[in-house]
Amino acid sequence: MVSQKTPRSNAEVSAIMRKVHSRDTSPEVALRKALWARGVRYKVCPADVAGKPDIVILSRRLAIFIDGDFWHGGQWQRRGLSTLEEQFSETKTRSYWLRKIRRNIQRDCRTTTALQHDGWTVLRIWESQIKSDLEACVHMTMQILDGALKPSSLSLIPQMTFLEFFAGIGLMRMGLEQGGWSIQFANDIDEQKRDMYATHFNDDQEHFVLGDIHAIPVDQIPSATLATASFPCNDLSLAGSRHGLVGKQSSAFWGFVRVLEEMGARRPPLVLLENVPGFLTSHGGRDFQQALLALNRLGYSVDTFILDAARFVPQSRQRLFVVGIQRPGQETLRVKDRKLNYASQSFESDVRPKALASFIATHPEIDWNIRDLPAQPALSVGMRDILEDLPHDAPEWWSAERAEYLLNQMSPRHRAVAEEMIAGEGWSYGTVFRRMRSGKSMAELRTDDIAGCLRTPRGGSGRQILFKAGKGEYHVRLMTPREAARLMGADEYTISVSLNQALFGFGDAVTVPVIEWIATHYLNPVVSEYTHGYPLSHA
């Protein structure tokens, strides 16, 4: 019989790893020898330089790091995996390695940024790049020393800072900060949302500019790694006017494009757009096409995917995302971009449903940069887990007459489900939206433990109703502001406004764990990738 080995503890693994050589590896020695043969004189791992670079050329203030692919988060990409998680099997030490490697990546970014601010040019090279093409690594280093290769806007990449346009109440910020990013600037035109933002973050005076994006002077906008834009969906939503990007609200996208264009050389190397899936089909897909081509003209290659909040929190809320990445436009050590084969490649996946995959495949005129992404997580909580425990005599619960009126608004099919819930031995929960059907207001009941999509209560409609039933009883009330916050993954958000104002704020926002997922599985790997193989100087 084969005995089963007991998995090593985290402490045992750490002790073993401390014995692994962290300097004078064969790739480091190979690059040093090659540079020395070219007449380059350097220091090795000087303690007085941040991060102790593997090679330091003082005369040109050039710091070179040779990073191990495994330790610094590059190996999974070399192996053709879609995420760092796939590099490790499901063992007790898996979470240890994920935390350790992601901490290493964050430390690399902090070290690079500190050196940049101190006037150094930083070059990070993967060990695998030296092993596969030592001459290319030497050639790039010599070009930097000769001044033939200049740092580009990608120098902003390791700072992991962002500009938050259409900031609303700041949930994009919350998600990015949980992913390791830092706010530099925020803008919104809605004063009430800014007030909610200010109450929660208490630092808006430092970076928040209230006003129309079309009128913001670009010299008020600092440089940053990433610009985000959750621009208005009113004219793109299937439930809206469908005026598209020429509509009064959604045309704000062109104000965002104007900002990027006027920033010129300071343009953020990364862009993240967020909107409703209706953006994909607005004006037969022409609006989406024109938006992506506009980013192309500004130097961004683009990717797109759809995530559903129901995979993260108990709320059905699909959203379309676009990531734009500036191409460096100069010689680099980065692996060449994969060209899309429209004749044979399928783009359909968990995050790119059939309609989106078809759009990609039928628009070769767009400069795409499609990246593999992992499947969205499985939901681990239900709607009942986010509900506040309010006693039945709390003022939030409706009167018996008002509750009965809602019950009578249900169709026979929905009414039958409600009656079954009422007859249950324990409490069960559903959500209700009122909708106009054939000119009549109907109450539609949902009972899958997932709340409907939070909406802004324009004109008093769109407010989600909680239906609690069992033990021969039923009780009805509106979802509370705290429950709305929890449905958006902003559990501890500071709320000091009325119900309607809170629903306006949360209904127009992004879901926090969705944004954190994008940071972890998309933006942060891009930062790590683009931090390597480029000369990065102070920007």
Side-chain angles (χ1 to χ4, degrees):
M1 183 176 69
V2 179
S3 61
Q4 297 292 323
K5 291 185 178 180
T6 302
R8 296 188 178 100
S9 67
N10 289 350
E12 290 172 325
V13 173
S14 295
I16 293 172
M17 291 303 102
R18 281 195 292 271
K19 297 178 182 179
V20 177
H21 291 293
S22 60
R23 57 175 293 181
D24 297 331
T25 62
S26 56
E28 292 172 21
V29 172
L31 183 59
R32 289 172 189 161
K33 288 182 176 180
L35 292 176
W36 191 271
R38 298 284 190 98
V40 178
R41 300 300 176 253
Y42 51 78
K43 286 190 173 183
V44 176
C45 303
D48 59 341
V49 180
K52 297 182 181 179
D54 298 298
I55 300 172
V56 168
I57 302 169
L58 289 172
S59 62
R60 300 303 300 269
R61 292 188 72 79
L62 174 62
I64 303 175
F65 293 85
I66 295 93
D67 292 333
D69 295 72
F70 176 87
W71 297 104
H72 296 264
Q75 185 173 354
W76 63 273
Q77 290 174 311
R78 288 184 58 227
R79 292 172 60 186
L81 305 176
S82 63
T83 179
L84 178 63
E85 276 80 356
E86 291 185 22
Q87 186 172 310
F88 301 96
S89 57
E90 292 284 353
T91 64
K92 289 184 178 180
T93 59
R94 184 173 187 261
S95 60
Y96 166 85
W97 288 115
L98 292 173
R99 287 195 305 272
K100 183 175 183 63
I101 291 174
R102 287 193 168 119
R103 282 199 302 266
N104 287 346
I105 294 171
Q106 292 175 354
R107 184 190 62 202
D108 292 345
C109 288
R110 290 194 300 269
T111 298
T112 299
T113 300
L115 287 168
Q116 288 176 293
H117 284 303
D118 200 29
W120 289 83
T121 295
V122 181
L123 177 61
R124 287 188 172 274
I125 305 174
W126 293 115
E127 281 189 348
S128 60
Q129 291 174 322
I130 294 176
K131 292 177 180 178
S132 64
D133 197 343
L134 173 61
E135 183 55 36
C137 299
V138 173
H139 178 67
M140 168 168 275
T141 305
M142 297 305 297
Q143 281 203 310
I144 296 170
L145 295 176
D146 294 340
L149 190 56
K150 302 292 185 182
S152 70
S153 63
L154 293 174
S155 291
L156 294 165
I157 281 276
Q159 296 180 20
M160 294 181 69
T161 54
F162 65 95
L163 315 172
E164 185 185 26
F165 294 93
F166 313 99
I169 65 173
L171 299 199
M172 176 71 77
R173 170 181 175 175
M174 289 184 70
L176 287 174
E177 286 183 337
Q178 291 178 18
W181 291 72
S182 301
I183 185 75
Q184 291 287 98
F185 173 89
N187 163 252
D188 202 278
I189 196 172
D190 191 305
E191 189 168 356
Q192 289 186 324
K193 290 177 183 175
R194 196 281 304 271
D195 289 345
M196 289 183 67
Y197 184 108
T199 299
H200 179 75
F201 293 105
N202 199 32
D203 62 0
D204 64 298
Q205 297 298 322
E206 300 174 14
H207 61 264
F208 200 111
V209 173
L210 181 68
D212 189 339
I213 192 169
H214 295 284
I216 299 174
V218 171
D219 58 10
Q220 291 186 15
I221 302 172
S223 300
T225 307
L226 168 71
T228 71
S230 297
F231 59 99
C233 66
N234 310 57
D235 302 302
L236 301 170
S237 171
L238 295 178
S241 64
R242 300 294 275 176
H243 289 154
L245 292 181
V246 298
K248 181 178 179 180
Q249 301 295 326
S250 298
S251 62
F253 170 77
W254 299 112
F256 177 68
V257 169
R258 189 271 307 178
V259 167
L260 295 177
E261 186 172 17
E262 292 185 9
M263 288 186 78
R266 295 194 304 113
R267 193 173 299 145
L270 300 178
V271 165
L272 174 64
L273 308 182
E274 179 268 348
N275 215 285
V276 294
F279 190 13
L280 177 64
T281 57
S282 178
H283 287 162
R286 292 188 300 278
D287 283 331
F288 194 48
Q289 176 199 37
Q290 291 307 307
L292 299 184
L293 289 175
L295 292 179
N296 285 169
R297 288 191 291 272
L298 292 172
Y300 296 98
S301 59
V302 294
D303 193 0
T304 182
F305 48 92
I306 292 176
L307 302 178
D308 191 346
R311 303 285 287 273
F312 302 82
V313 294
Q315 179 197 177
S316 177
R317 191 183 189 88
Q318 283 195 336
R319 288 297 182 265
L320 173 68
F321 295 90
V322 172
V323 175
I325 303 176
Q326 272 194 351
R327 296 199 185 279
Q330 62 181 21
E331 181 184 354
T332 70
L333 292 174
R334 180 168 174 258
V335 177
K336 292 182 179 179
D337 293 322
R338 176 168 56 90
K339 296 298 182 184
L340 301 184
N341 185 341
Y342 288 93
S344 62
Q345 186 169 346
S346 171
F347 302 103
E348 190 171 350
S349 70
D350 179 65
V351 299
R352 297 184 183 95
K354 185 175 181 179
L356 184 58
S358 176
F359 183 94
I360 295 170
T362 55
H363 287 80
E365 76 282 5
I366 294 172
D367 182 12
W368 297 105
N369 187 1
I370 305 298
R371 299 172 68 93
D372 291 331
L373 287 171
Q376 300 169 81
L379 182 64
S380 59
V381 297
M383 185 192 67
R384 67 182 63 206
D385 298 311
I386 63 92
L387 296 177
E388 294 193 88
D389 187 16
L390 301 181
H392 292 155
D393 60 356
E396 288 82 359
W397 293 103
W398 292 2
S399 67
E401 293 76 16
R402 190 179 178 189
E404 183 180 12
Y405 182 80
L406 179 79
L407 193 65
N408 290 332
Q409 282 186 298
M410 295 183 187
S411 68
R413 181 171 63 88
H414 286 271
R415 178 68 179 260
V417 173
E419 294 291 354
E420 185 177 350
M421 293 171 63
I422 294 170
E425 295 182 359
W427 295 115
S428 57
Y429 302 85
T431 57
V432 178
F433 271 122
R434 286 193 175 103
R435 306 178 193 273
M436 294 301 296
R437 301 297 185 193
S438 302
K440 183 179 179 182
S441 177
M442 302 292 292
E444 298 185 352
L445 176 64
R446 178 171 183 163
T447 59
D448 60 353
D449 212 19
I450 300 290
C453 182
L454 286 181
R455 301 183 234 163
T456 55
R458 303 185 189 280
S461 65
R463 298 191 298 180
Q464 196 157 187
I465 301 165
L466 176 68
F467 185 79
K468 176 182 180 180
K471 306 178 183 180
E473 305 174 18
Y474 65 97
H475 304 271
V476 177
R477 64 172 171 82
L478 295 174
M479 299 288 282
T480 68
R482 179 56 56 201
E483 289 162 351
R486 291 171 180 170
L487 287 175
M488 298 300 291
D491 297 24
E492 304 305 319
Y493 197 91
T494 304
I495 303 172
S496 60
V497 296
S498 67
L499 171 62
N500 266 14
Q501 187 175 334
L503 293 181
F504 266 113
F506 291 114
D508 263 351
V510 296
T511 310
V512 174
V514 170
I515 301 304
E516 183 183 8
W517 187 91
I518 293 172
T520 300
H521 295 289
Y522 202 120
L523 300 176
N524 294 356
V526 167
V527 167
S528 177
E529 177 183 335
Y530 277 71
T531 299
H532 291 80
Y534 303 93
L536 305 170
S537 67
H538 180 63

